[in-house]
């Protein structure tokens, strides 16, 4: 007898109900799984499977930038997106703790970041933004000088 479909996850607030379901384990047996409060995953396909392939978490979007591809030309690509997640049954101790998966550019990830490692990346990106501000100021001046040379 198949399990009923898993209802979509929502972020709990106030007296929102705890979301739990029975998960059939591929290797045999079952367990009752409960989403942590921050989980927004739907878990539609998580009524059965290997015990260690379950994750809970939420995704965050990044801005789109027009990146150039020699075959496709320029196209908007999300950057600095990611996901906060936990893999409660993973064999990796780092994955069993809440961790961040950062996607600096679409389909390229930095996995299993701790809060301190994520802070280090944020610091590097902020420092690079300061460099970009300096380059922008120089670029504006260079462009203005060039404009003055036009007939």
């Amino acid at each position: 007898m198949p399990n009923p479909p898993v209802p979509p996850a929502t972020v709990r607030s106030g007296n929102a109900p705890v979301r739990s379901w029975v998960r059939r384990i591929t290797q045999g047996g079952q367990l009752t799984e409960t989403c942590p409060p921050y989980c927004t995953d739907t878990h539609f396909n998580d009524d059965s499977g290997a015990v260690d392939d379950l994750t809970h978490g939420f995704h965050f979007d990044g801005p789109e930038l027009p990146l150039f591809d020699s075959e496709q030309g320029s196209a908007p690509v999300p950057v600095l997106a990611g996901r906060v997640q936990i893999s409660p049954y993973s064999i990796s101790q780092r994955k069993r703790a809440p961790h961040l998966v950062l996607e600096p550019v679409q389909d390229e990830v930095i996995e299993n970041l701790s809060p301190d490692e994520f802070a280090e990346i944020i610091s590097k990106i902020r420092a690079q933004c300061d460099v970009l501000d300096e380059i922008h100021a120089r670029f504006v001046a260079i462009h203005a000088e060039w404009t003055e040379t036009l007939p």
Side-chain angles (χ1 to χ4, degrees), residues 11-33:
V11 177
R12 278 187 254 157
S13 63
N15 296 328
V18 174
R19 226 173 40 92
S20 296
W21 72 96
V22 175
R23 179 176 167 87
R24 291 185 316 273
I25 306 304
T26 305
Q27 298 87 348
Q30 64 184 27
L31 58 85
T32 300
E33 188 59 36

Side-chain angles (χ1 to χ4, degrees), residues 33-52:
E33 188 59 36
T34 301
C35 287
Y38 55 86
C39 181
T40 60
D41 294 340
T42 62
H43 295 293
F44 281 133
N45 297 317
D46 286 339
D47 61 341
S48 65
V51 72
D52 62 352

